[in-house]
Amino acid sequence: KMYDACEALRDSLLAVGIGIDGGKDSLSMAARCGEEVVKAPGELTLTCYVTCPDITKTVNPDLKCPAEGSKLLFIDLGNGKSRLGGSALAQVYNQIGDDCPDIDE
């Protein structure tokens, strides 16, 4: 599956003319938790970039507070399930969790 996903990604990037700056596959990631070895699910993480002819028209993730006010929208892509088990956020809050982040098919 991972190989097919990488091929599809390559074809898509070539079609739109953008490149990938970096990436990592987690097929070989594992962590020891006591006596148990927990293996990461297969996933591909990457960073993309494109040329920007006008830098004044870029968007960045910092929050703005204009005088006329603004709105911050939350889009629940997890459909209310809040699955954070095994995630970096859960680890920061010293929580293990039961359900790892996933996408429902």
Side-chain angles (χ1 to χ4, degrees):
K1 287 184 177 183
M2 182 67 77
Y3 181 82
D4 294 337
C6 289
E7 272 195 328
L9 175 63
R10 179 206 60 206
D11 295 344
S12 300
L13 294 173
L14 287 171
V16 296
I18 64 173
I20 295 176
D21 189 26
K24 173 165 187 10
D25 68 84
S26 65
L27 291 177
S28 60
M29 288 179 49
R32 183 171 297 281
C33 184
E35 295 297 315
E36 183 181 5
V37 175
V38 180
K39 294 184 178 180
E43 69 178 47
L44 180 66
T45 306
L46 48 95
T47 303
C48 296
Y49 61 94
V50 296
T51 57
C52 180
D54 185 353
I55 196 166
T56 64
K57 294 184 179 179
T58 62
V59 177
N60 56 42
D62 64 326
L63 296 175
K64 310 282 191 290
C65 296
E68 63 275 4
S70 64
K71 294 182 181 181
L72 182 61
L73 302 177
F74 171 69
I75 301 172
D76 184 10
L77 299 176
N79 200 22
K81 295 190 178 173
S82 301
R83 296 178 285 210
L84 294 176
S87 68
L89 180 62
Q91 186 177 8
V92 166
Y93 286 104
N94 203 24
Q95 300 171 349
I96 294 177
D98 296 324
D99 300 315
C100 65
D102 201 355
I103 297 173
D104 294 324
E105 295 187 32

